[in-house]
Every structure is written in C-alpha cells, then in structure tokens.
C-alpha cells in the first residue's frame, strides 16, 4: 500500500496481546517472558509511528522503514492468531464434553510441548527482527507521541446524503434531451441494425449517470420491449458480457453454460424483440471481439438500439454507428452550484459568505469534472471553519499530474480517518462494478481486523462496521446505494476503484487475462480469469502464496484441470483469512482441505448452485466468523456446532437432510439469513441456545407451514423479517379453536411479507421480545386488515414500516387511522412512501 498503516497494525497487535486467549496461553504454556518482551518492543516502536507516518510522504527512507516494519507486524499477527486458534481448539474439547472419536482426535491432536517450542521460536525471531528495525529509528529523529487508541467517527451520517443525492446531471439537460431524441427516432429502411450510440468522455464526467437517466426516461422506455444494462469494464470477455445481458434481461446467472449455450439462450431472449441495451464503461479496442458479439445483437427486432459509454474514441469508432456523442466538461457555474449543494446544509449557504471565494478556487482546481466537485464538496459538508476549506484549496496533491479528478480523489482519500482508509483500500480486492452488500462487507472487514471495538460496551462490531459503511457512503466513496430493508447494496465508481487499486498495489494483486502480476508482498488476491491464474500465474509462484490473507475468485472454476489445480493450490494458503467464490463452480462438495485453514474467518460460496454439501472438515474452522453458502446446498455437516466463533450465517439452500440439533447450538450467532429452505422446522428445531441472535431473516421458504415453536427463545432478537413464504398456514391456531378469533386476542402477532393474513406466536415471545425487538417491517401483505392492539406492548420498537398493504396503510395513517393509537408510540413509522417521525414523551 502507499501507506504502511503500521500504527493501526501495531494497535491491533497490542490489543491481541491483552486478549483473553493470549493471556490464558501465557499462563498455560509458559511463554509469559517471551510475550512480555514482544509487548514491550511493540510499545517502544509504537510511540514514534504517528510521527513516522506523517513524514513518510516526504522521506523515502522513512516510508521504506515503515513498510519493512509492516511485514514483521503481519508475521507477528500470524503468530498470535496461531495462539488464538490453539486456545479455541482446546476450548472446544473442554466445553463439548464427550463426542465422537473423530472429533476428539482432531481437537486433541496437537502436541502441547512441540507447539510451545514452535511458538517460542517464532516469537523470539519476531522480537529480534523488531529490535533490528527499532535500532534504525534513531536515524530519523522521530518524536515520541502518545497514541490515542480510540476510533471515533464523525457525527451520525445522513443516509440521504449519498452519491445519488447530488445530481451529477446538473447542467446536463441539453445533453439528455439530445440523446433522448436520437433514441426516440423511428427505424428507417437502410438504417444500421442495431443502431449503436457511443457516449465518449473522460472519467468522472457523468457518462454512466447520463446514460442511465436517458434509458429510464418514460419517453424512451415506451419505445422498447426490453431494457438491459451491462457493465463491461476493463476485460472484454464475450462469455461474461453475454452472461450479464441474460442476467439483466431475465435474472438468471447461467454460470454453468458454455459460450455456445449462452449464445443460443441470448438469441432466444432477443429474437424478434425491440430492445435497448446499455454497455457501460467499455475499454476493448480489439475490433474482432466486437465482431463476435455484434451478430448476436442483430437477432433483436429492427429499431433496437445500444448505448455505449467509453473514455476511448477508438472504442467509439469500432462500435459506433452514430457519430460519437462527446460529453463536454461541466460548465463552471454548474460546477459551483453542484459544489455548494454538496458542501452546505440546506438553507445555510447564505450564512457563510466568507467561504464562497475559497469554494470558487477549489472548484476551479477540479477542472470542471463533476465527480471531483462532488467528492470535495462532500468532504467539506457541515465544515464552516475557513482553515478546513483552505487546507483543501492549498493541498500539495493539486501539484501532481492529472486532469483534476485524481488529485481531487486523492485529497478526499487523505482526509479520511486512518481506519476508514484501510477499509476503503480493502474493497479493491473485489472486481469493478461489484454489488456490495453492507452486512457482507462488514463481515469481510471484520475478518481482517479492520473494525475496532467501540467504547460503548453495548455496541457490537457489526454496528461499528455499518457506521463505517455509512461514513464512506456519505463521503461518496460508494455510490448506487439501494435500501433493501434488511440491508443495503452499493457500488464503487470505477475511478474510485482505480484509486484504491493504485494506492494498495503493493499488497493487492489482480489476475486477469491480460495481467498476471503477483508481488512477494501480495496479501490479497483477486482472480478475474481462472484459466490465467491456474495455467500461467500458479506454475510460476505457487510457493509464494503463504502470505496471502484473502482471495476472491470472480470467475468460475470449471473443468477438471482447474478443479485439480484449485485443490492443489489450497495447501499453499497457510494464513488465509477470507475466501470468496463469486461465480458458479463445478464443486458438488468443496475440497476437504478447507479444514486446514485455521485462520479463516470469512467463507462465501454465494452463487454456487452446484455445491450440494459442505465438506465434513468445515467443523475444524473454530475461527470462522461468517459463512455464506449458495443455492444448491442440501445438507449441513453434523459437526457444524463446533464452529464456536460463527456469528454470521447465510443459508441459501434446498435443505432436505439436516444435522441433529440443527443450527440452534451456535451460541455466538448474531445474524441468520435462511433462503429457500425446504425443512425449516428441523433446521431451527432448537433455538434456545441462540443466545446472541439479533437479526433473523427467513425468505422464500415455500414449504414453511408454521414457524418453529422454539422461536420464542430468541430473547435478544432486534430485527425479524419473513419474506415470501406462501404456504405458511397462518390460521392454524385459530382453526384449533373451531372458529376464527379476533387477532387481538393473541398476545403477539407478527405479519410477514407476501402472506395473506396474520400468524399468532406464543405469549412468551411477546414477553421476551418486547424487551429487544426494534425493527418491524410489513411488506406486500394486501389482505392484512388491521394492526393488532398488542403492538402497543413493544416498547423498544423504534421502526415500523408498512409497504404495499393498502388496507393496513389506511388504518395506520397518522391521526386519522383506526390503528394509529396503537402505534403512535413508535418513533419512526413508514407507511408506503410516507414517513412519519413521531417525537414521543415516553
């Protein structure tokens, strides 16, 4: 990375040395002296790190010194992680009591004396390396400074201030009107088919925003039967472009189809239909690749049209039929309007005329690029101190080469708190246009120790991580924010991704069809082309993977050769913290070797519909915190209960056979998402041990007839959502009484999305959940007629949302609805698109 982040890593190490696991290890294994010396050596170096990191940009020797130190600190983290792993392993033996011979053999297999000697040797080696590096610090005249270990974020982010809040279409009305007119022109005999309209311009001008706005215009959509959007990005792969087109048109992933099958399927989709296709961010200048795709696109009806956004005139010449539409720089006055909209709170701009002149100078340096204007404006939002504005105006970054956009983005990055910088850079391991989900990204950050415990003992790491996400969104490091009720999705602008990749280049490597670069300092690996990785990169550097901490496979692992190579290379990843397979692969059962990844904290097979079973060895992953499994899963390993650190679980499954005891034994589990499960009753048959569960989402479980009775044991539940469970017999309890009783006779009622009526849950659930439940969402339940009176007993309820429920919405209107008295105590109420914020005196 451009920055070593040695201070952050050293703080993390000192925290680990004080952790319960290491303290217990000191006493039990006789390494008190070695670990104490390591702690003293770290503290001695830590006091000068703040000054060193301030000077590194101007002193190359200090920068290199910090990078040398970082490598040693990473090795120290690996050693302390091994200690924590061993402690967890032995904790399982103590707490599980008698168990199978196989499990006891695994947990008791470590030779205690040999392990102590090995750890002692590693610790002594690290102390010696730290001493050598520490001896060099005197050459730099670094001053000692007290280190503040707290990580305080700015005031709570306004979530409505995301990238989309600041219309980059300011000043683009004429451009939009012109493009709409071109698309709306009727097809004439002799016109090219399909017509291709390229929009060309430098990065950050708003080409994508403009193109999407044009495609979404009603007077454009009405001319086409089918609309598709595809982000092509750097690597133009015919197979991937077709897959993305099919997914945009139908929602199907089709990862298991070969190119020929994909072409046939796309032809069927386009056949005779008049379509509008947006090919966004195209870089391919190889005319042959375009000529392979073009015949497929001609299968649509005459009048079909394609919009292409690109930074390259050459791309426009290869693909375009129309003369390229060259998007110009944004007018200076429009830039000023955009900047002030981003920088000032509504209605407060006129209160600070002293800042106008400085703002005008900042905007001039942005060289009329909207993305630069937006990012710097949001950095200054709510700041009224002239010195803050002057520091942006006078930044040395403006002296670097660039068109205004990269210097501006670098200034925005420099103004981030250190812990947010690391979180942002780690996002570069994911491919461009990757749709992030907030809860999953937080778990990924947690796996790498990027989220720091709050000073508030009631705030969980997940809560802190979501605040990190909100802060980055508010500063426009993420865009395309979509609220999913029980989460959120967003993306990174491709220029933001470029910035993160350039700053993180020493630690992050991307393997694509045109790039096989891998550095000895690489710790995070993104594989965009599996064939290139296994057949070109892997043979050259297979013995250099032991430092890698995360790997993301963005491409399918298909074919016997790739599968075999994948299984072989797994043995090289000695210190892997996160492993993610984003695309479908041909694994019915993941390799058993996964059980050797004792450092692994985050494991995701999302989208792998072929995987029917997890390997039995998964129970060995005592450090695993987050597990996401894909669409084809049919069973869980019997020994999943030994995964004692698991706190986040997503099951997208067709579960038929289930382990005894289900998942109810996972005491640390805090977030549980269950999708398309056929046997939910057995899966959750015993929830009484889920003592930490805060969020439960059950979605698309068609065979669900009734909720598990043990659900009453979820005494810590804060959010509860059930979505699209069509077979749930909601009147079971009433039928037993031989007549329908009024719903308010039941002490607790939960209403779920996609269901025709209500379900009554046991009285105990109200008694327990009334002390914890905070979010209650009712969506797409048109037959619900009234709100149960008992909702007034949920005193902790902070958020009630009623969406697409016409009758219920009418009864819950503020002041006039019949059910309003029962819900008036809830601070935030959303009824369809109308949000009512009630200030309560309770």
């Amino acid at each position: 990375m451009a920055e070593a982040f040695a201070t952050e890593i050293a703080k993390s190490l000192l925290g680990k040395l004080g952790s319960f696991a290491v303290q217990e290890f000191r006493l039990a294994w006789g390494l008190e002296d070695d670990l104490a010396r390591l702690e003293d050596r770290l503290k001695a170096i830590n006091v000068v790190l703040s000054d060193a990191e301030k000077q590194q940009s101007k002193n190359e020797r200090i920068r290199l010194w910090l990078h040398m130190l970082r490598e040693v600190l990473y090795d120290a983290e690996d050693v302390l992680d091994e200690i924590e792993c061993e402690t967890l392993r032995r904790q399982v033996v103590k707490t599980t009591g008698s168990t199978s011979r196989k499990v006891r053999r695994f947990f008791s297999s470590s030779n205690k004396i040999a392990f102590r000697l090995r750890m002692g040797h590693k610790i002594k080696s690290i102390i010696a390396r730290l001493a050598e590096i520490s001896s060099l610090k005197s050459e730099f005249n670094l001053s000692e400074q007290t280190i503040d270990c707290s990580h305080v974020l700015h005031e709570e982010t306004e979530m409505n201030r995301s990238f989309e809040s600041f219309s980059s279409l300011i000043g683009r009305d004429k451009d939009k009107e012109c493009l709409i007119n071109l698309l709306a022109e009727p097809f004439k005999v002799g016109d090219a088919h399909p017509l291709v309209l390229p929009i060309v311009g430098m990065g950050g001008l708003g080409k994508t925003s403009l193109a999407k706005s044009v495609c979404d215009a009603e007077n454009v959509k009405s001319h086409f039967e089918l609309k598709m959007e595809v982000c092509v990005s750097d690597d133009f792969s015919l197979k991937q472009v077709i897959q993305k087109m099919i997914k945009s048109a139908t929602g199907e992933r089709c990862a298991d189809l070969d190119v020929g099958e994909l072409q046939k399927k796309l032809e069927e989709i386009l056949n005779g239909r008049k379509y509008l296709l947006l090919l966004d961010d195209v870089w391919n200048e190889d005319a042959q690749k375009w000529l392979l795709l073009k015949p497929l696109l001609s299968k649509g009806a005459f009048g079909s049209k394609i919009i292409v956004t690109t930074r390259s005139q050459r791309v426009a010449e290869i693909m375009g039929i129309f003369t390229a539409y060259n998007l110009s720089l944004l007018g200076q006055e429009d830039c000023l309007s955009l900047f002030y909209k981003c920088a000032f709170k509504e209605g407060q701009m006129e209160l600070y005329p002293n800042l106008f002149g400085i703002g005008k100078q900042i905007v001039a340096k942005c060289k009329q690029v909207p993305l630069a204007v937006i990012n710097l404006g949001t950095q200054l939002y709510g700041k009224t101190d002239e010195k803050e504005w002057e520091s942006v105006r006078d930044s040395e970054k403006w002296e670097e080469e660039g068109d205004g956009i990269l210097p501006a983005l670098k200034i925005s990055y420099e103004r981030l708190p250190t812990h947010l910088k690391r979180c942002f850079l780690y996002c570069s391991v994911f491919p461009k246009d990757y749709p992030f989900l907030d809860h999953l990204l937080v778990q990924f950050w947690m796996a790498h120790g990027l989220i720091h415990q709050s000073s508030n003992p009631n705030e969980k790491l997940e809560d802190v991580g979501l605040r990190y996400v909100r802060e980055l969104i508010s500063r426009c490091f993420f865009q395309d924010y979509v609220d999913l009720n029980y989460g959120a999705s967003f993306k990174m602008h491709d220029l933001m991704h470029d910035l993160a990749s350039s700053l993180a280049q020493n630690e992050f490597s991307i393997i694509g069809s045109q790039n096989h670069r891998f550095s000895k300092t690489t710790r995070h690996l993104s594989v965009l082309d599996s064939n290139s990785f296994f057949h070109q990169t892997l043979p050259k550097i297979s013995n250099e993977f032991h430092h890698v901490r995360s790997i993301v496979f963005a491409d399918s692992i298909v074919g016997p050769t790739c599968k075999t190579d994948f299984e072989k290379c797994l043995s090289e990843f000695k210190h892997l913290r996160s492993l993610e397979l984003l695309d479908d692969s041909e694994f019915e059962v993941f390799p058993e070797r996964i059980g050797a990844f004792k450092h692994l904290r985050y494991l995701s097979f999302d989208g792998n519909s072929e995987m029917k079973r997890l390997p039995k060895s998964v129970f060995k992953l005592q450090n695993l915190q987050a597990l996401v499994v894909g669409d084809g899963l049919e069973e869980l390993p019997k020994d999943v209960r030994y995964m004692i650190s698991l706190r986040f679980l997503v099951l997208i499954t067709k579960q038929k056979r289930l382990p005894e005891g289900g998942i109810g034994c996972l005491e640390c589990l805090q977030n549980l998402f269950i999708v398309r499960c056929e046997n939910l009753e057995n899966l959750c048959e015993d929830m009484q041990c889920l003592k930490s569960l805060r969020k439960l989402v059950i979605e698309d479980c068609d065979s669900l007839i009734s909720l598990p009775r043990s659900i009453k044991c979820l005494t810590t539940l804060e959010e509860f959502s059930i979505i699209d469970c069509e077979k749930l017999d909601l009147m079971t309890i009433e039928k037993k009484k031989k007549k329908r009783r009024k719903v308010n006779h039941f002490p607790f009622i939960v209403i779920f999305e996609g269901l025709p009526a209500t379900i009554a849950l046991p009285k105990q659930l109200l008694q327990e959940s009334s002390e914890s439940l905070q979010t209650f969402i009712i969506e797409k339940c048109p037959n619900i007629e009234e709100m149960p009176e008992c909702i007034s007993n949920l005193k902790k309820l902070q958020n009630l949302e009623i969406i697409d429920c016409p009758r219920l919405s009418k009864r819950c209107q503020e002041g006039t609805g019949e059910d309003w008295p029962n819900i008036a105590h809830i601070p935030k109420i959303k009824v369809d698109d109308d949000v009512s914020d009630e200030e309560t005196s309770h």
Side-chain angles (χ1 to χ4, degrees), residues 168 220 295 306 404 426 530-531 534 567 577 708 781 797:
S168 52
V220 169
I306 302 170
Y426 270 63
S530 295
N531 281 321
F534 290 122
E567 293 189 32
R577 265 73 168 177
C781 301
L797 196 60

Side-chain angles (χ1 to χ4, degrees), residues 22 71 80 88 169 184 192 213 225 267 470 547 551 577 608 610 649 709 741-742 812-813 817:
V22 176
E71 295 305 306
L80 294 185
L88 282 173
L169 296 181
S213 177
E225 298 176 53
E267 288 181 15
R470 288 195 293 268
H547 286 309
I551 182 166
R577 265 73 168 177
N608 282 257
E610 296 298 317
L649 178 60
R709 303 295 296 179
R741 304 176 68 182
K742 292 183 179 179
C812 291
Q813 291 299 313

Side-chain angles (χ1 to χ4, degrees), residues 391-572:
S391 68
V392 172
R393 181 195 64 190
D394 301 333
S395 171
E396 295 177 355
K397 296 294 180 184
W398 293 117
E399 305 302 320
E400 299 180 8
E401 292 185 11
D403 47 22
I405 180 61
L406 282 180
L409 297 186
K410 287 180 179 179
I411 292 171
S412 295
Y413 169 80
E414 290 294 335
R415 292 176 62 84
L416 285 176
T418 303
H419 55 285
L420 290 184
K421 286 181 180 179
R422 291 189 79 196
C423 289
F424 169 66
L425 295 186
Y426 270 63
C427 292
S428 66
V429 76
F430 295 93
K432 285 186 176 180
D433 200 48
Y434 177 71
F436 291 98
L437 295 174
D438 56 355
H439 291 289
L440 293 182
L441 181 57
V442 167
Q443 293 298 322
F444 174 77
W445 286 341
M446 286 172 57
H448 294 282
L450 304 185
I451 298 178
H452 304 277
Q453 187 62 58
S454 168
S455 57
N456 180 356
N458 296 321
E459 190 171 36
K460 305 295 184 182
L461 286 176
E462 285 85 352
D463 301 323
V464 178
L466 289 173
R467 287 199 285 120
Y468 287 13
V469 170
R470 288 195 293 268
E471 187 71 15
L472 287 169
I473 289 173
S474 75
R475 294 168 178 259
C476 294
F477 283 84
F478 295 131
Q479 63 180 48
D480 295 348
Y481 175 87
V482 178
D483 185 356
L484 303 174
N485 282 334
Y486 52 82
S489 69
F490 44 87
K491 296 181 179 181
M492 290 177 71
H493 191 284
D494 59 335
L495 281 175
M496 281 295 187
H497 195 283
D498 290 342
L499 173 67
S501 297
S502 67
L503 293 173
Q505 59 185 346
N506 292 330
E507 283 196 37
F508 289 72
S509 290
I510 298 174
I511 308 297
S513 59
Q514 306 300 320
N515 177 35
H516 311 131
R517 178 181 58 83
F518 186 90
S519 167
K520 289 184 178 180
T521 60
T522 294
R523 292 183 182 267
H524 308 279
L525 187 61
S526 180
V527 179
L528 305 183
D529 188 306
S530 295
N531 281 321
S532 294
F533 175 69
F534 290 122
H535 300 146
Q536 297 181 51
T537 306
L538 189 61
K540 299 176 184 177
I541 56 170
S542 61
N543 61 342
E544 296 179 6
F545 286 147
H546 60 280
H547 286 309
V548 172
R549 293 188 167 198
S550 68
I551 182 166
V552 173
F553 282 92
D555 191 21
S556 307
I557 302 174
V558 295
T561 305
C562 281
K563 287 173 64 179
T564 301
D565 289 339
F566 177 75
E567 293 189 32
K568 287 181 181 178
C569 82
L570 284 181
S571 62
E572 302 296 333

Side-chain angles (χ1 to χ4, degrees), residues 117-308:
L117 291 174
R118 188 168 70 253
M119 290 300 101
H121 175 74
K122 288 185 176 183
I123 293 169
K124 286 181 173 67
S125 174
I126 288 169
I127 292 172
R129 292 165 65 193
L130 284 174
E132 183 180 350
I133 291 174
S134 182
S135 67
L136 300 174
K137 69 181 181 182
S138 59
E139 300 178 16
F140 307 129
N141 297 316
L142 299 172
S143 60
E144 296 186 0
Q145 298 179 12
T146 302
I147 302 298
D148 179 13
C149 292
S150 62
H151 294 83
V152 181
L153 282 177
H154 294 76
E155 63 186 63
E156 184 66 20
T157 304
E158 295 184 33
M159 281 307 297
N160 60 336
R161 286 185 55 82
S162 62
F163 188 92
E164 286 63 44
S165 303
F166 317 116
S167 174
S168 52
L169 296 181
I170 287 178
R172 297 297 191 195
D173 291 342
K174 289 184 179 179
D175 296 306
K176 183 176 179 179
E177 182 181 0
C178 182
L179 290 168
I180 287 175
N181 289 336
L182 288 172
L183 291 175
E185 285 183 3
F187 177 78
K188 302 170 187 171
V189 177
D191 282 352
H193 173 62
L195 285 171
V196 181
L197 171 59
I199 303 175
V200 183
M202 62 183 288
L205 287 183
K207 298 183 297 296
T208 300
S209 297
L210 176 61
K212 287 185 175 182
S213 177
V214 168
C215 290
D216 289 337
E218 289 300 328
N219 51 347
V220 169
K221 288 194 295 185
S222 60
H223 290 278
F224 301 94
E225 298 176 53
L226 175 65
K227 188 185 81 167
M228 296 170 286
E229 293 183 7
V230 172
C231 179
V232 179
S233 200
D234 302 5
D235 199 359
F236 189 100
S237 161
L238 178 65
K239 179 179 180 180
Q240 290 182 5
V241 171
I242 296 175
Q243 283 176 328
K244 290 179 179 180
M245 287 181 64
I246 294 172
K247 185 175 181 182
S248 180
T250 68
E252 299 177 64
R253 295 171 63 98
C254 298
D256 56 337
L257 302 183
D258 61 28
V259 174
E261 292 169 325
L262 288 168
Q263 290 176 329
K264 184 178 180 180
K265 188 170 185 66
L266 182 60
E267 288 181 15
E268 292 172 355
I269 293 170
L270 300 182
N271 188 30
R273 300 175 74 182
K274 186 178 176 183
Y275 67 81
L276 176 63
L277 170 64
L278 169 59
L279 293 175
D280 186 36
D281 194 27
V282 180
W283 289 79
N284 170 58
E285 296 185 352
D286 184 347
Q288 292 302 315
K289 290 185 177 180
W290 167 240
L291 292 176
L292 290 174
L293 178 63
K294 189 175 179 181
L296 292 172
L297 301 178
S298 66
K299 300 299 181 181
F302 289 114
S304 296
K305 293 177 182 176
I306 302 170
I307 299 178
V308 175

Side-chain angles (χ1 to χ4, degrees), residues 45-72:
I45 293 179
N46 199 35
V47 294
V48 300
L49 289 184
S50 180
D51 187 37
E53 291 189 333
K54 289 176 183 176
Q55 296 190 43
Q56 66 175 320
S57 61
K58 299 178 181 179
N59 189 320
E60 180 67 11
R61 291 180 65 228
I62 291 179
R63 190 184 70 82
L64 292 174
W65 179 78
L66 285 170
H67 280 266
M68 288 171 55
L69 174 61
R70 181 190 65 193
E71 295 305 306
V72 181

